[in-house]
Amino acid sequence: VEELLRSPVRARFALTSPALAASRRGSALLDALHARRVTVHEVSEGEFATAADTDAPQGVLAIGEIPERSLDSVALPPRARLLFLDGIQDPGNAGTLLRTAAAFGVAATVALPGTVDLWNAKVVRSAVGSLFHHPAFSGTWEALDTFRAEHAVAVWGADQGGEPLDAVTDPPERMALVVGNEGSGLSEQARARLERRVAIPIARGVESLNVAVAAGILLYEFRP
Amino acid sequence: VEELLRSPVRARFALTSPALAASRRGSALLDALHARRVTVHEVSEGEFATAADTDAPQGVLAIGEIPERSLDSVALPPRARLLFLDGIQDPGNAGTLLRTAAAFGVAATVALPGTVDLWNAKVVRSAVGSLFHHPAFSGTWEALDTFRAEHAVAVWGADQGGEPLDAVTDPPERMALVVGNEGSGLSEQARARLERRVAIPIARGVESLNVAVAAGILLYEFRP
């Protein structure tokens, strides 16, 4: 909620428990909520627990307006990276991917069909605030086709069957990196659009890396 | 369970649901369980659901013997990496760290005080089988002090206040990488032992990377 209030996303309403006001950090947050003219409603600890869906809630829940974002609103510098999520189903992975994309200055993250809703509460929590600042939204393959043609974006994919990463020395000025489903990898729609596929070399006998770890390594290596 | 049967870890007992035998993959797994002389007990779907602690169990649960592992049993090549977990509390992060360490050929992962039990069911699941092959165990700082002195292991830490990773060009032959707690970072015990601290450069305004993503980038960059 602190991150939400520091972001351009509009907070509409907050639910708090009595414990919040007891800590210095909690009471500063309450002040910030009032300063931003957010409607705050305090309920008992018991009622609060029934509204929170975590085991150890921190005494504050907020409702924010999902920002209107699309590819049209993305500002693309001459050297840029984008991240395309192709059927990422685990909300923890999706949130960690958003956090990672924000950390490496990715211009936008696009959730393609089959990917979990980016505003799912577990995704929001795993993204630890990055979703409020980082341009992330859902999109279609067709919209991406138009965008990449207009903006000269090369589409590369993370794929264990691709070229080894340590042999790739010439990343393009503008690249969209596609990462695929946790179990089945890249979709047919992704494969049909890829210019290059890159593999992170891993030890024999190990099946794969976690998708957010793989994306982190590739976004670091290909940082603009 | 397939990974368990392919590993040196001894499987003692398995619980299955009727649905398992209906698929080709499930019936192959049943054959493998019988071939390994594992006691298999089939229960109804309803009973199975009460024993599994996931929302969508896959019809088989197994009990294996936790292997006896310690620093004494680690075979250390001339160039080697180790991973030290310094107060990693989230089981999903711990499992992903083990999976990542196995993927990058880390010689051993040591869970230091304050780290979640590596044989916690959520850690085992997030490690997707790597825990059965990869040498991972809990240890004390004192045992590590003896080990690093005997084996000439340099201890480096991941820390946002450290030297930027892109400026570090001379990793040592044998390195142990310490990664710290998700909220508070490296402990005092870790800091007192570090020879160098390395930071992954991230965008302004972003607090940090997920610990498994950070470890993945560092283990890839410092691959032996």
Side-chain angles (χ1 to χ4, degrees):
Chain A
V1 178
E2 290 168 341
E3 285 295 327
L4 177 68
L5 296 186
R6 275 196 282 268
S7 82
V9 173
R10 195 181 148 214
R12 277 200 176 172
F13 175 81
L15 197 68
T16 62
S17 81
L20 188 69
S23 75
R24 182 180 293 191
R25 185 174 173 187
S27 97
L29 179 54
L30 277 171
D31 289 345
L33 284 164
H34 292 305
R36 285 278 295 265
R37 297 176 189 235
V38 178
T39 306
V40 178
H41 191 68
E42 187 183 292
V43 294
S44 71
E45 295 292 345
E47 284 173 313
F48 189 85
T50 65
D53 66 3
T54 52
D55 291 336
Q58 295 174 290
V60 61
L61 290 171
I63 291 174
E65 276 180 23
I66 294 180
E68 294 276 347
R69 294 168 174 166
S70 74
L71 281 170
D72 298 332
S73 59
V74 173
L76 217 54
R79 282 187 70 82
R81 301 292 175 255
L82 295 108
L83 181 64
F84 293 173
L85 311 183
D86 175 32
I88 300 297
Q89 291 183 328
D90 181 84
N93 283 342
T96 305
L97 284 160
L98 291 166
R99 179 179 176 183
T100 307
F104 291 127
V106 164
T109 297
V110 184
L112 288 156
T115 293
V116 62
D117 175 11
L118 297 186
W119 295 94
N120 166 316
K122 280 191 188 174
V123 176
V124 175
R125 280 198 301 275
S126 298
V128 289
S130 56
L131 194 46
F132 307 140
H133 305 272
H134 174 64
F137 43 85
S138 60
T140 62
W141 284 110
E142 292 69 28
L144 287 184
D145 287 341
T146 310
F147 182 82
R148 66 187 277 207
E150 276 175 6
H151 295 88
V153 175
V155 181
W156 287 27
D159 182 13
Q160 276 312 118
E163 302 165 65
L165 174 58
D166 38 12
V168 177
T169 52
D170 52 346
E173 294 289 300
R174 287 176 168 177
M175 181 206 296
L177 177 70
V178 190
V179 293
N181 177 265
E182 291 90 342
S184 56
L186 295 167
S187 67
E188 284 309 310
Q189 290 97 314
R191 289 183 184 280
R193 287 165 171 88
L194 295 180
E195 286 164 47
R196 279 173 87 171
R197 293 175 302 124
V198 181
I200 300 166
I202 58 175
R204 215 175 293 246
V206 177
E207 201 186 285
S208 64
L209 290 166
N210 166 276
V211 64
V213 173
I217 293 168
L218 294 169
L219 291 174
Y220 176 74
E221 286 292 316
F222 296 144
R223 60 196 181 280
Chain B
V1 178
E2 290 168 341
E3 285 294 327
L4 177 68
L5 295 184
R6 276 195 282 268
S7 83
V9 173
R10 197 181 145 216
R12 278 201 174 171
F13 174 82
L15 197 69
T16 62
S17 81
L20 188 70
S23 75
R24 181 181 291 192
R25 186 174 172 187
S27 97
L29 179 54
L30 278 170
D31 289 346
L33 284 164
H34 291 305
R36 286 278 296 266
R37 299 176 186 234
V38 178
T39 305
V40 178
H41 191 68
E42 187 182 293
V43 294
S44 71
E45 296 292 345
E47 285 173 314
F48 190 85
T50 66
D53 65 4
T54 51
D55 290 336
Q58 295 174 291
V60 61
L61 289 172
I63 291 174
E65 278 181 21
I66 294 180
E68 293 275 347
R69 293 168 175 166
S70 74
L71 280 170
D72 299 333
S73 59
V74 173
L76 217 54
R79 281 187 70 82
R81 299 292 174 256
L82 294 107
L83 181 64
F84 293 173
L85 311 183
D86 176 32
I88 300 297
Q89 292 184 327
D90 180 84
N93 283 342
T96 305
L97 283 161
L98 291 166
R99 179 179 178 185
T100 306
F104 291 126
V106 165
T109 298
V110 184
L112 288 157
T115 294
V116 63
D117 175 11
L118 297 185
W119 295 92
N120 167 314
K122 279 192 190 173
V123 177
V124 174
R125 281 198 302 275
S126 299
V128 288
S130 56
L131 195 46
F132 307 141
H133 304 271
H134 174 63
F137 42 85
S138 60
T140 63
W141 284 110
E142 293 69 29
L144 287 183
D145 287 339
T146 310
F147 181 83
R148 65 187 277 208
E150 276 175 6
H151 296 88
V153 176
V155 181
W156 288 26
D159 183 12
Q160 276 311 115
E163 301 164 67
L165 174 57
D166 39 11
V168 176
T169 52
D170 53 346
E173 294 289 300
R174 288 175 167 176
M175 181 206 294
L177 177 70
V178 190
V179 292
N181 177 265
E182 292 90 342
S184 56
L186 296 167
S187 67
E188 284 308 308
Q189 290 98 315
R191 289 183 184 279
R193 288 165 170 89
L194 295 180
E195 288 165 47
R196 277 172 88 170
R197 294 177 300 125
V198 181
I200 300 166
I202 57 175
R204 215 175 292 246
V206 177
E207 200 186 285
S208 64
L209 289 165
N210 167 278
V211 63
V213 172
I217 293 168
L218 294 169
L219 291 174
Y220 176 74
E221 287 291 317
F222 295 145
R223 61 198 181 279

